[in-house]
Amino acid sequence: MTHTPVRPRDPLSPRVLSRLAGLAKAVFFTLVCAVVIVPFVGMISTSLASREQITNAGGYVMWPDAPTLDAYTAIFDGGVVTRALAVSVGVTVTGTLLSLMCTALLAYSLSRPGSFAHKPLLMVVLFTLLFTPGIIPSYLLVKNLGMIDSYWSIILPTAINAFNVIVMRAFFMDLPQELLESARIDGASDFTVLLRIILPLSRAVLAVIGLFYAVSYWNAFFAPLLYLNDSSKWPLQLVLRTYVVNNTELGVDQLSASMEALPPQQSIQMAILLVSILPILLVYPFLQRHFTKGMLTGAVKG
């Protein structure tokens, strides 16, 4: 009688492999979160630390012993940072509203097959998506339009983004055409259809594209660097580049005339950096639920 030899059981069973894979994923994502969170915590801690602690730590602090708001008091006391923050907020709000309005109007006209010059305009939009103008032609155009040292020079050249137009057009084309036709039968004009039917149904894509435009205007520094010669008109990102990236020290006359001694430069720089990224971090959670839906617009056809 022949006996079949019993093969030893593999110690790495599927359950063990699954647990090891889960552990590896947990370690990996923990490291990724640490890479993101640790510098952010260090930035906040350094902005709240005292001069003695920053000196003892060699420049950056991971946990302040005696937190102080002197750095934030200095930058919000009517100096260059306060003025730049007001400029950035004004440019971002104005530019985002104008861009959304222009993008919605253009996307709606391109989504109607029978509209005037439908195909030529669509080709022009696609052409600008593939071929962008150079720095010198853009500067000459802005200069000839008389927009140098004007806030319109950082709003109008980027008021319409071709990618955002294509995304919004795809969303408009996916809306029920029967609803639009019934509104036209009732005598509604194209503007009425867009304002009262299309836009209320397009909150997801408007929120996402609005966030894209807002981030673009808020983070813009190259256009202000080219077109704004007056430093009193600089937005926050240009101030951030000048006094944080280039490590230029801020004096009492540039920050606060009411303070005799300024906080350490590291605290001021980290405070400016936090102020520059905090608005977007606060806005994103309110738009997050629309983000996925808006980004998948036109990706799935049913």
Side-chain angles (χ1 to χ4, degrees):
M1 185 175 181
T2 305
H3 295 280
T4 303
V6 179
R7 298 178 61 183
R9 187 178 180 182
D10 189 359
L12 296 179
S13 62
R15 180 177 297 180
V16 175
L17 290 176
S18 177
R19 291 180 178 178
L20 290 177
L23 180 62
K25 291 180 181 178
V27 172
F28 174 76
F29 286 113
T30 301
L31 293 176
V32 171
C33 292
V35 170
V36 175
I37 294 175
V38 169
F40 190 75
V41 173
M43 175 182 62
I44 298 176
S45 300
T46 304
S47 67
L48 298 175
S50 61
R51 183 182 300 273
E52 293 77 13
Q53 189 175 7
I54 291 177
T55 302
N56 296 333
Y60 294 97
V61 177
M62 288 306 300
W63 190 259
D65 295 334
T68 176
L69 296 176
D70 290 345
Y72 296 95
T73 302
I75 65 175
F76 286 123
D77 200 20
V80 61
V81 179
T82 306
R83 182 171 61 248
L85 180 60
V87 170
S88 291
V89 171
V91 168
T92 300
V93 173
T94 305
T96 302
L97 294 177
L98 179 63
S99 296
L100 279 177
M101 181 183 68
C102 295
T103 302
L105 291 174
L106 181 57
Y108 177 71
S109 64
L110 295 178
S111 65
R112 303 298 97 198
S115 60
F116 175 75
H118 168 73
K119 290 185 178 180
L121 284 177
L122 183 59
M123 291 298 103
V124 170
V125 172
L126 294 176
F127 182 84
T128 60
L129 183 63
L130 298 175
F131 302 97
T132 57
I135 297 176
I136 296 178
S138 299
Y139 181 84
L140 293 177
L141 176 62
V142 171
K143 181 179 179 181
N144 291 333
L145 291 176
M147 293 191 300
I148 297 296
D149 262 344
S150 171
Y151 293 130
W152 293 114
S153 63
I154 56 180
I155 294 177
L156 293 182
T158 57
I160 298 180
N161 182 278
F163 174 78
N164 294 336
V165 171
I166 298 302
V167 171
M168 190 174 291
R169 173 181 176 269
F171 190 93
F172 289 167
M173 295 181 68
D174 286 342
L175 294 176
Q177 299 301 314
E178 296 80 5
L179 184 62
L180 307 183
E181 293 298 333
S182 63
R184 290 192 180 92
I185 292 175
D186 292 338
S189 62
D190 285 332
F191 183 76
T192 303
V193 171
L194 175 63
L195 188 62
R196 297 192 176 185
I197 298 178
I198 300 272
L199 294 183
L201 295 175
S202 307
R203 294 176 181 174
V205 70
L206 290 174
V208 173
I209 292 180
L211 180 63
F212 286 163
Y213 278 126
V215 171
S216 176
Y217 283 116
W218 182 263
N219 290 334
F221 80 92
F222 189 67
L225 183 64
L226 286 178
Y227 305 134
L228 299 182
N229 299 323
D230 188 358
S231 59
S232 63
K233 297 181 178 181
W234 282 0
L236 185 60
Q237 298 301 329
L238 197 53
V239 171
L240 178 68
R241 174 187 177 274
T242 303
Y243 296 108
V244 177
V245 177
N246 294 342
N247 202 25
T248 304
E249 291 193 2
L250 285 159
V252 176
D253 55 338
Q254 296 169 313
L255 286 177
S256 171
S258 62
M259 299 183 67
E260 297 180 357
L262 289 178
Q265 288 295 320
Q266 291 88 343
S267 296
I268 296 176
Q269 291 175 353
M270 293 302 103
I272 298 174
L273 185 59
L274 181 61
V275 170
S276 67
I277 65 176
L278 193 59
I280 301 301
L281 293 179
L282 294 178
V283 170
Y284 178 76
F286 296 98
L287 304 179
Q288 189 268 342
R289 63 190 182 95
H290 299 297
F291 198 81
T292 303
K293 182 179 178 181
M295 285 302 297
L296 293 179
T297 297
V300 179
K301 297 293 183 181

Short mmCIF file of all heavy atoms in Angstrom, two decimals, residues 76-137:
data_model
loop_
_atom_site.label_atom_id
_atom_site.label_comp_id
_atom_site.label_asym_id
_atom_site.label_seq_id
_atom_site.Cartn_x
_atom_site.Cartn_y
_atom_site.Cartn_z
N PHE A 76 -0.69 91.62 11.57
CA PHE A 76 -2.05 92.12 11.38
C PHE A 76 -2.25 93.52 11.95
O PHE A 76 -3.38 93.95 12.18
CB PHE A 76 -3.06 91.17 12.03
CG PHE A 76 -3.27 89.89 11.26
CD1 PHE A 76 -3.05 88.67 11.87
CD2 PHE A 76 -3.67 89.92 9.94
CE1 PHE A 76 -3.23 87.49 11.17
CE2 PHE A 76 -3.86 88.74 9.23
CZ PHE A 76 -3.64 87.53 9.85
N ASP A 77 -1.17 94.24 12.17
CA ASP A 77 -1.26 95.56 12.79
C ASP A 77 -1.19 96.68 11.76
O ASP A 77 -0.67 97.76 12.04
CB ASP A 77 -0.15 95.73 13.83
CG ASP A 77 -0.47 96.82 14.83
OD1 ASP A 77 -1.65 97.17 14.97
OD2 ASP A 77 0.47 97.34 15.46
N GLY A 78 -1.68 96.41 10.56
CA GLY A 78 -1.79 97.47 9.56
C GLY A 78 -0.57 97.65 8.69
O GLY A 78 -0.48 98.67 8.00
N GLY A 79 0.34 96.70 8.65
CA GLY A 79 1.54 96.83 7.83
C GLY A 79 1.37 96.24 6.45
O GLY A 79 0.26 96.11 5.91
N VAL A 80 2.50 95.85 5.85
CA VAL A 80 2.51 95.37 4.48
C VAL A 80 1.75 94.06 4.33
O VAL A 80 1.11 93.81 3.30
CB VAL A 80 3.97 95.22 3.99
CG1 VAL A 80 4.73 94.22 4.82
CG2 VAL A 80 4.01 94.84 2.52
N VAL A 81 1.79 93.19 5.34
CA VAL A 81 1.11 91.90 5.26
C VAL A 81 -0.40 92.10 5.28
O VAL A 81 -1.14 91.44 4.54
CB VAL A 81 1.57 90.98 6.40
CG1 VAL A 81 0.85 89.64 6.33
CG2 VAL A 81 3.08 90.75 6.33
N THR A 82 -0.89 93.00 6.14
CA THR A 82 -2.33 93.26 6.20
C THR A 82 -2.85 93.80 4.87
O THR A 82 -3.90 93.38 4.38
CB THR A 82 -2.64 94.26 7.33
OG1 THR A 82 -2.08 93.79 8.54
CG2 THR A 82 -4.14 94.43 7.50
N ARG A 83 -2.09 94.73 4.29
CA ARG A 83 -2.49 95.30 2.99
C ARG A 83 -2.45 94.23 1.90
O ARG A 83 -3.36 94.15 1.07
CB ARG A 83 -1.56 96.45 2.64
CG ARG A 83 -1.92 97.15 1.35
CD ARG A 83 -1.10 98.42 1.15
NE ARG A 83 0.33 98.13 1.09
CZ ARG A 83 1.21 98.50 2.02
NH1 ARG A 83 0.81 99.16 3.10
NH2 ARG A 83 2.49 98.20 1.88
N ALA A 84 -1.42 93.40 1.90
CA ALA A 84 -1.31 92.34 0.89
C ALA A 84 -2.42 91.30 1.05
O ALA A 84 -2.94 90.78 0.06
CB ALA A 84 0.05 91.66 1.00
N LEU A 85 -2.81 91.01 2.30
CA LEU A 85 -3.90 90.07 2.53
C LEU A 85 -5.22 90.61 1.99
O LEU A 85 -6.00 89.88 1.36
CB LEU A 85 -4.02 89.78 4.03
CG LEU A 85 -5.13 88.81 4.46
CD1 LEU A 85 -4.93 87.44 3.82
CD2 LEU A 85 -5.17 88.69 5.98
N ALA A 86 -5.46 91.91 2.20
CA ALA A 86 -6.68 92.52 1.66
C ALA A 86 -6.68 92.50 0.13
O ALA A 86 -7.72 92.25 -0.51
CB ALA A 86 -6.81 93.96 2.17
N VAL A 87 -5.52 92.73 -0.47
CA VAL A 87 -5.42 92.68 -1.94
C VAL A 87 -5.70 91.27 -2.45
O VAL A 87 -6.45 91.08 -3.42
CB VAL A 87 -4.02 93.15 -2.39
CG1 VAL A 87 -3.81 92.86 -3.87
CG2 VAL A 87 -3.84 94.63 -2.11
N SER A 88 -5.13 90.26 -1.80
CA SER A 88 -5.34 88.87 -2.23
C SER A 88 -6.80 88.47 -2.11
O SER A 88 -7.35 87.80 -3.00
CB SER A 88 -4.46 87.93 -1.41
OG SER A 88 -3.10 88.09 -1.73
N VAL A 89 -7.44 88.86 -1.01
CA VAL A 89 -8.86 88.52 -0.83
C VAL A 89 -9.70 89.20 -1.91
O VAL A 89 -10.58 88.58 -2.53
CB VAL A 89 -9.33 88.93 0.57
CG1 VAL A 89 -10.84 88.79 0.69
CG2 VAL A 89 -8.65 88.07 1.63
N GLY A 90 -9.45 90.48 -2.17
CA GLY A 90 -10.21 91.19 -3.18
C GLY A 90 -10.02 90.62 -4.58
O GLY A 90 -10.98 90.43 -5.33
N VAL A 91 -8.76 90.33 -4.94
CA VAL A 91 -8.48 89.77 -6.26
C VAL A 91 -9.09 88.38 -6.39
O VAL A 91 -9.67 88.03 -7.44
CB VAL A 91 -6.95 89.72 -6.49
CG1 VAL A 91 -6.62 88.88 -7.72
CG2 VAL A 91 -6.39 91.12 -6.66
N THR A 92 -9.00 87.57 -5.34
CA THR A 92 -9.53 86.20 -5.40
C THR A 92 -11.05 86.20 -5.54
O THR A 92 -11.61 85.47 -6.38
CB THR A 92 -9.11 85.42 -4.15
OG1 THR A 92 -7.68 85.37 -4.08
CG2 THR A 92 -9.64 83.99 -4.21
N VAL A 93 -11.72 87.00 -4.73
CA VAL A 93 -13.19 87.03 -4.78
C VAL A 93 -13.67 87.59 -6.12
O VAL A 93 -14.52 87.00 -6.80
CB VAL A 93 -13.75 87.86 -3.61
CG1 VAL A 93 -15.25 88.06 -3.76
CG2 VAL A 93 -13.44 87.18 -2.29
N THR A 94 -13.10 88.74 -6.53
CA THR A 94 -13.51 89.35 -7.80
C THR A 94 -13.18 88.44 -8.98
O THR A 94 -14.02 88.23 -9.88
CB THR A 94 -12.83 90.71 -7.97
OG1 THR A 94 -13.11 91.54 -6.85
CG2 THR A 94 -13.30 91.39 -9.24
N GLY A 95 -11.97 87.92 -9.01
CA GLY A 95 -11.56 87.07 -10.12
C GLY A 95 -12.35 85.78 -10.20
O GLY A 95 -12.72 85.34 -11.30
N THR A 96 -12.64 85.17 -9.06
CA THR A 96 -13.40 83.92 -9.07
C THR A 96 -14.82 84.13 -9.58
O THR A 96 -15.33 83.35 -10.40
CB THR A 96 -13.43 83.30 -7.66
OG1 THR A 96 -12.08 83.07 -7.22
CG2 THR A 96 -14.19 81.99 -7.66
N LEU A 97 -15.49 85.18 -9.10
CA LEU A 97 -16.85 85.46 -9.57
C LEU A 97 -16.87 85.79 -11.06
O LEU A 97 -17.74 85.30 -11.80
CB LEU A 97 -17.45 86.62 -8.76
CG LEU A 97 -17.69 86.35 -7.27
CD1 LEU A 97 -18.22 87.59 -6.58
CD2 LEU A 97 -18.66 85.18 -7.08
N LEU A 98 -15.92 86.61 -11.51
CA LEU A 98 -15.87 86.96 -12.93
C LEU A 98 -15.56 85.74 -13.78
O LEU A 98 -16.17 85.53 -14.85
CB LEU A 98 -14.81 88.04 -13.15
CG LEU A 98 -14.62 88.52 -14.59
CD1 LEU A 98 -15.89 89.17 -15.11
CD2 LEU A 98 -13.44 89.49 -14.68
N SER A 99 -14.64 84.90 -13.33
CA SER A 99 -14.27 83.71 -14.09
C SER A 99 -15.42 82.71 -14.16
O SER A 99 -15.66 82.11 -15.21
CB SER A 99 -13.04 83.05 -13.46
OG SER A 99 -11.91 83.89 -13.54
N LEU A 100 -16.12 82.53 -13.06
CA LEU A 100 -17.27 81.63 -13.08
C LEU A 100 -18.35 82.13 -14.03
O LEU A 100 -18.96 81.34 -14.78
CB LEU A 100 -17.84 81.47 -11.67
CG LEU A 100 -17.12 80.49 -10.74
CD1 LEU A 100 -17.76 80.51 -9.35
CD2 LEU A 100 -17.15 79.07 -11.30
N MET A 101 -18.60 83.44 -14.01
CA MET A 101 -19.62 83.99 -14.90
C MET A 101 -19.23 83.81 -16.36
O MET A 101 -20.04 83.33 -17.18
CB MET A 101 -19.84 85.47 -14.59
CG MET A 101 -20.91 86.13 -15.44
SD MET A 101 -21.07 87.90 -15.10
CE MET A 101 -19.49 88.49 -15.73
N CYS A 102 -18.00 84.16 -16.71
CA CYS A 102 -17.55 84.04 -18.10
C CYS A 102 -17.48 82.58 -18.54
O CYS A 102 -17.87 82.24 -19.67
CB CYS A 102 -16.19 84.71 -18.27
SG CYS A 102 -16.17 86.48 -17.99
N THR A 103 -17.00 81.71 -17.66
CA THR A 103 -16.91 80.29 -18.01
C THR A 103 -18.28 79.68 -18.21
O THR A 103 -18.49 78.89 -19.14
CB THR A 103 -16.15 79.53 -16.90
OG1 THR A 103 -14.84 80.12 -16.74
CG2 THR A 103 -15.99 78.07 -17.26
N ALA A 104 -19.24 80.02 -17.35
CA ALA A 104 -20.60 79.47 -17.48
C ALA A 104 -21.25 79.95 -18.77
O ALA A 104 -21.90 79.17 -19.49
CB ALA A 104 -21.45 79.88 -16.28
N LEU A 105 -21.10 81.22 -19.11
CA LEU A 105 -21.69 81.75 -20.34
C LEU A 105 -21.08 81.08 -21.57
O LEU A 105 -21.80 80.68 -22.50
CB LEU A 105 -21.50 83.26 -20.41
CG LEU A 105 -22.30 84.10 -19.40
CD1 LEU A 105 -21.89 85.57 -19.49
CD2 LEU A 105 -23.80 83.95 -19.64
N LEU A 106 -19.74 80.96 -21.59
CA LEU A 106 -19.09 80.34 -22.74
C LEU A 106 -19.41 78.85 -22.83
O LEU A 106 -19.68 78.34 -23.92
CB LEU A 106 -17.58 80.55 -22.64
CG LEU A 106 -16.74 79.98 -23.79
CD1 LEU A 106 -17.19 80.55 -25.13
CD2 LEU A 106 -15.26 80.27 -23.56
N ALA A 107 -19.40 78.16 -21.70
CA ALA A 107 -19.70 76.73 -21.71
C ALA A 107 -21.13 76.47 -22.14
O ALA A 107 -21.40 75.50 -22.87
CB ALA A 107 -19.44 76.14 -20.33
N TYR A 108 -22.06 77.31 -21.72
CA TYR A 108 -23.46 77.12 -22.13
C TYR A 108 -23.63 77.33 -23.63
O TYR A 108 -24.35 76.57 -24.30
CB TYR A 108 -24.36 78.07 -21.36
CG TYR A 108 -25.81 77.98 -21.76
CD1 TYR A 108 -26.59 76.87 -21.44
CD2 TYR A 108 -26.41 79.01 -22.49
CE1 TYR A 108 -27.91 76.79 -21.82
CE2 TYR A 108 -27.74 78.93 -22.87
CZ TYR A 108 -28.48 77.82 -22.54
OH TYR A 108 -29.79 77.73 -22.93
N SER A 109 -22.98 78.36 -24.17
CA SER A 109 -23.09 78.59 -25.62
C SER A 109 -22.46 77.46 -26.41
O SER A 109 -22.98 77.07 -27.48
CB SER A 109 -22.43 79.92 -25.98
OG SER A 109 -21.04 79.88 -25.72
N LEU A 110 -21.37 76.89 -25.92
CA LEU A 110 -20.73 75.78 -26.62
C LEU A 110 -21.47 74.46 -26.45
O LEU A 110 -21.27 73.54 -27.23
CB LEU A 110 -19.28 75.61 -26.13
CG LEU A 110 -18.32 76.75 -26.43
CD1 LEU A 110 -16.95 76.47 -25.84
CD2 LEU A 110 -18.21 76.99 -27.94
N SER A 111 -22.31 74.37 -25.43
CA SER A 111 -23.08 73.14 -25.21
C SER A 111 -24.35 73.09 -26.05
O SER A 111 -25.00 72.04 -26.11
CB SER A 111 -23.44 73.00 -23.73
OG SER A 111 -24.34 74.03 -23.32
N ARG A 112 -24.72 74.21 -26.70
CA ARG A 112 -25.90 74.24 -27.57
C ARG A 112 -25.46 74.02 -29.01
O ARG A 112 -24.78 74.90 -29.59
CB ARG A 112 -26.62 75.58 -27.46
CG ARG A 112 -27.08 75.98 -26.08
CD ARG A 112 -28.07 75.01 -25.50
NE ARG A 112 -27.43 74.04 -24.61
CZ ARG A 112 -27.97 72.91 -24.24
NH1 ARG A 112 -29.13 72.55 -24.71
NH2 ARG A 112 -27.33 72.12 -23.42
N PRO A 113 -25.76 72.88 -29.63
CA PRO A 113 -25.29 72.59 -30.98
C PRO A 113 -25.71 73.62 -32.01
O PRO A 113 -25.00 73.87 -32.98
CB PRO A 113 -25.91 71.21 -31.29
CG PRO A 113 -26.18 70.61 -29.94
CD PRO A 113 -26.53 71.77 -29.05
N GLY A 114 -26.86 74.26 -31.84
CA GLY A 114 -27.33 75.21 -32.83
C GLY A 114 -26.94 76.64 -32.57
O GLY A 114 -27.44 77.55 -33.25
N SER A 115 -26.06 76.90 -31.60
CA SER A 115 -25.68 78.27 -31.27
C SER A 115 -24.79 78.87 -32.35
O SER A 115 -24.20 78.16 -33.17
CB SER A 115 -24.97 78.31 -29.91
OG SER A 115 -23.79 77.52 -29.95
N PHE A 116 -24.64 80.19 -32.30
CA PHE A 116 -23.88 80.91 -33.32
C PHE A 116 -22.39 80.56 -33.23
O PHE A 116 -21.79 80.62 -32.16
CB PHE A 116 -24.08 82.42 -33.14
CG PHE A 116 -23.24 83.27 -34.07
CD1 PHE A 116 -23.57 83.38 -35.41
CD2 PHE A 116 -22.10 83.90 -33.60
CE1 PHE A 116 -22.79 84.15 -36.27
CE2 PHE A 116 -21.32 84.67 -34.45
CZ PHE A 116 -21.67 84.79 -35.78
N ALA A 117 -21.78 80.21 -34.38
CA ALA A 117 -20.35 79.90 -34.47
C ALA A 117 -19.94 78.86 -33.43
O ALA A 117 -18.90 78.99 -32.78
CB ALA A 117 -19.51 81.16 -34.33
N HIS A 118 -20.75 77.82 -33.31
CA HIS A 118 -20.52 76.81 -32.27
C HIS A 118 -19.18 76.10 -32.48
O HIS A 118 -18.33 76.06 -31.59
CB HIS A 118 -21.67 75.80 -32.29
CG HIS A 118 -21.42 74.58 -31.48
ND1 HIS A 118 -21.43 74.57 -30.10
CD2 HIS A 118 -21.11 73.30 -31.85
CE1 HIS A 118 -21.15 73.36 -29.66
NE2 HIS A 118 -20.96 72.57 -30.70
N LYS A 119 -18.97 75.54 -33.65
CA LYS A 119 -17.75 74.75 -33.90
C LYS A 119 -16.49 75.62 -33.97
O LYS A 119 -15.46 75.24 -33.40
CB LYS A 119 -17.92 73.94 -35.18
CG LYS A 119 -18.93 72.80 -35.04
CD LYS A 119 -18.97 71.94 -36.30
CE LYS A 119 -19.95 70.78 -36.11
NZ LYS A 119 -20.02 69.92 -37.33
N PRO A 120 -16.51 76.78 -34.64
CA PRO A 120 -15.29 77.62 -34.64
C PRO A 120 -14.87 78.06 -33.23
O PRO A 120 -13.68 78.05 -32.90
CB PRO A 120 -15.67 78.81 -35.51
CG PRO A 120 -16.73 78.30 -36.41
CD PRO A 120 -17.50 77.32 -35.59
N LEU A 121 -15.84 78.44 -32.41
CA LEU A 121 -15.51 78.84 -31.04
C LEU A 121 -14.95 77.67 -30.24
O LEU A 121 -14.01 77.84 -29.44
CB LEU A 121 -16.75 79.41 -30.34
CG LEU A 121 -17.16 80.82 -30.72
CD1 LEU A 121 -18.45 81.22 -30.00
CD2 LEU A 121 -16.06 81.82 -30.42
N LEU A 122 -15.49 76.49 -30.44
CA LEU A 122 -14.98 75.31 -29.75
C LEU A 122 -13.55 75.02 -30.18
O LEU A 122 -12.69 74.66 -29.35
CB LEU A 122 -15.88 74.12 -30.02
CG LEU A 122 -15.51 72.80 -29.30
CD1 LEU A 122 -15.51 73.00 -27.79
CD2 LEU A 122 -16.47 71.69 -29.69
N MET A 123 -13.25 75.18 -31.46
CA MET A 123 -11.89 74.98 -31.94
C MET A 123 -10.93 76.01 -31.35
O MET A 123 -9.78 75.70 -31.03
CB MET A 123 -11.86 75.05 -33.48
CG MET A 123 -12.56 73.90 -34.18
SD MET A 123 -11.80 72.28 -33.82
CE MET A 123 -12.99 71.61 -32.64
N VAL A 124 -11.39 77.24 -31.21
CA VAL A 124 -10.55 78.28 -30.60
C VAL A 124 -10.24 77.94 -29.15
O VAL A 124 -9.09 78.08 -28.69
CB VAL A 124 -11.25 79.65 -30.70
CG1 VAL A 124 -10.52 80.70 -29.87
CG2 VAL A 124 -11.32 80.10 -32.15
N VAL A 125 -11.24 77.46 -28.41
CA VAL A 125 -11.01 77.07 -27.01
C VAL A 125 -10.03 75.92 -26.92
O VAL A 125 -9.10 75.94 -26.10
CB VAL A 125 -12.36 76.71 -26.35
CG1 VAL A 125 -12.13 76.12 -24.96
CG2 VAL A 125 -13.25 77.94 -26.24
N LEU A 126 -10.19 74.91 -27.78
CA LEU A 126 -9.27 73.78 -27.77
C LEU A 126 -7.87 74.21 -28.21
O LEU A 126 -6.87 73.67 -27.70
CB LEU A 126 -9.78 72.68 -28.70
CG LEU A 126 -11.08 72.00 -28.26
CD1 LEU A 126 -11.54 71.00 -29.30
CD2 LEU A 126 -10.92 71.32 -26.90
N PHE A 127 -7.77 75.16 -29.11
CA PHE A 127 -6.46 75.65 -29.53
C PHE A 127 -5.71 76.31 -28.38
O PHE A 127 -4.52 76.10 -28.20
CB PHE A 127 -6.63 76.64 -30.69
CG PHE A 127 -5.33 77.16 -31.23
CD1 PHE A 127 -4.62 76.43 -32.17
CD2 PHE A 127 -4.82 78.38 -30.81
CE1 PHE A 127 -3.41 76.90 -32.68
CE2 PHE A 127 -3.61 78.86 -31.30
CZ PHE A 127 -2.91 78.11 -32.24
N THR A 128 -6.42 77.12 -27.59
CA THR A 128 -5.77 77.76 -26.44
C THR A 128 -5.41 76.75 -25.37
O THR A 128 -4.51 77.00 -24.56
CB THR A 128 -6.70 78.82 -25.83
OG1 THR A 128 -7.92 78.20 -25.39
CG2 THR A 128 -7.04 79.89 -26.85
N LEU A 129 -6.10 75.59 -25.34
CA LEU A 129 -5.75 74.56 -24.38
C LEU A 129 -4.44 73.88 -24.76
O LEU A 129 -3.66 73.47 -23.88
CB LEU A 129 -6.87 73.52 -24.31
CG LEU A 129 -6.72 72.39 -23.30
CD1 LEU A 129 -6.69 72.92 -21.87
CD2 LEU A 129 -7.85 71.38 -23.46
N LEU A 130 -4.16 73.78 -26.06
CA LEU A 130 -2.95 73.10 -26.54
C LEU A 130 -1.77 74.04 -26.69
O LEU A 130 -0.62 73.64 -26.48
CB LEU A 130 -3.24 72.40 -27.88
CG LEU A 130 -4.32 71.32 -27.86
CD1 LEU A 130 -4.57 70.81 -29.27
CD2 LEU A 130 -3.91 70.17 -26.95
N PHE A 131 -2.03 75.29 -27.07
CA PHE A 131 -0.95 76.24 -27.34
C PHE A 131 -1.19 77.49 -26.50
O PHE A 131 -2.17 78.21 -26.71
CB PHE A 131 -0.91 76.61 -28.82
CG PHE A 131 -0.73 75.43 -29.74
CD1 PHE A 131 -1.84 74.84 -30.33
CD2 PHE A 131 0.52 74.90 -29.97
CE1 PHE A 131 -1.69 73.75 -31.17
CE2 PHE A 131 0.68 73.81 -30.80
CZ PHE A 131 -0.43 73.22 -31.40
N THR A 132 -0.29 77.73 -25.56
CA THR A 132 -0.41 78.89 -24.67
C THR A 132 0.53 80.00 -25.14
O THR A 132 1.60 79.72 -25.69
CB THR A 132 -0.06 78.50 -23.23
OG1 THR A 132 1.28 77.96 -23.20
CG2 THR A 132 -1.03 77.46 -22.70
N PRO A 133 0.17 81.26 -24.92
CA PRO A 133 1.04 82.37 -25.35
C PRO A 133 2.28 82.46 -24.48
O PRO A 133 2.31 82.02 -23.33
CB PRO A 133 0.14 83.60 -25.17
CG PRO A 133 -0.82 83.20 -24.11
CD PRO A 133 -1.07 81.73 -24.31
N GLY A 134 3.31 83.07 -25.04
CA GLY A 134 4.54 83.25 -24.29
C GLY A 134 4.48 84.43 -23.34
O GLY A 134 3.49 85.19 -23.32
N ILE A 135 5.54 84.60 -22.57
CA ILE A 135 5.57 85.67 -21.57
C ILE A 135 5.62 87.05 -22.24
O ILE A 135 4.90 87.97 -21.85
CB ILE A 135 6.76 85.47 -20.63
CG1 ILE A 135 6.61 84.17 -19.84
CG2 ILE A 135 6.88 86.65 -19.66
CD1 ILE A 135 7.79 83.86 -18.96
N ILE A 136 6.47 87.18 -23.26
CA ILE A 136 6.64 88.49 -23.90
C ILE A 136 5.37 88.94 -24.63
O ILE A 136 4.94 90.09 -24.46
CB ILE A 136 7.86 88.46 -24.85
CG1 ILE A 136 9.14 88.23 -24.04
CG2 ILE A 136 7.95 89.75 -25.66
CD1 ILE A 136 10.39 88.14 -24.87
N PRO A 137 4.72 88.08 -25.45
CA PRO A 137 3.45 88.54 -26.05
C PRO A 137 2.39 88.89 -25.02
O PRO A 137 1.64 89.86 -25.20
CB PRO A 137 3.02 87.33 -26.90
CG PRO A 137 4.28 86.60 -27.19
CD PRO A 137 5.13 86.78 -25.98
#
